[in-house]
Amino acid sequence: MALKLSALIALLDNHGLSSNLVEGGTELVINCPLCFSEDQKLYISTNHGRWLCFQCSSRGNLISLGTDLLEMGELEARETAISIRRPRSEHRPLWK
């Protein structure tokens, strides 16, 4: 699964979380809203949406990103996760 990067960045921005693209564009890094780290220690994979905070060790997937970090309800988090995933038709083979 690949994510719509602009949609993910907009989602984070709308919740007051500024992000930076790192690791050659494969990860976004933000300040962790769970441990209130002053440094950007929470990394979000732009490929599959899994996230990990290297300060407090919290981790999760695209849905828990919504429920745990952005304080969404379960249904809203699931709908948001679906909306920022790229459709299969937009996926490119790795060998091209």
Side-chain angles (χ1 to χ4, degrees), residues 62-64 66-67 71-83:
L62 199 53
I63 295 171
S64 65
T67 58
E71 299 178 347
M72 295 177 175
E74 181 79 20
L75 181 59
E76 182 184 7
R78 287 181 182 277
E79 290 172 347
T80 301
I82 290 168
S83 74

Side-chain angles (χ1 to χ4, degrees), residues 1-3 45-51 61-62 85:
M1 165 186 42
L3 305 178
S45 167
T46 60
N47 291 323
H48 46 68
R50 290 189 185 106
W51 55 273
N61 59 26
L62 199 53
R85 288 183 182 149

Side-chain angles (χ1 to χ4, degrees), residues 16-37:
L17 298 170
S18 62
S19 60
N20 291 309
L21 204 52
V22 295
E23 302 297 328
T26 62
E27 295 181 329
L28 285 171
V29 63
I30 63 172
N31 293 58
C32 180
L34 299 176
C35 67
F36 306 105
S37 171

Side-chain angles (χ1 to χ4, degrees), residues 76-94:
E76 182 184 7
R78 287 181 182 277
E79 290 172 347
T80 301
I82 290 168
S83 74
I84 63 174
R85 288 183 182 149
R86 277 192 192 162
R88 284 220 179 266
S89 61
E90 291 182 24
H91 290 198
R92 286 173 259 128
L94 295 174

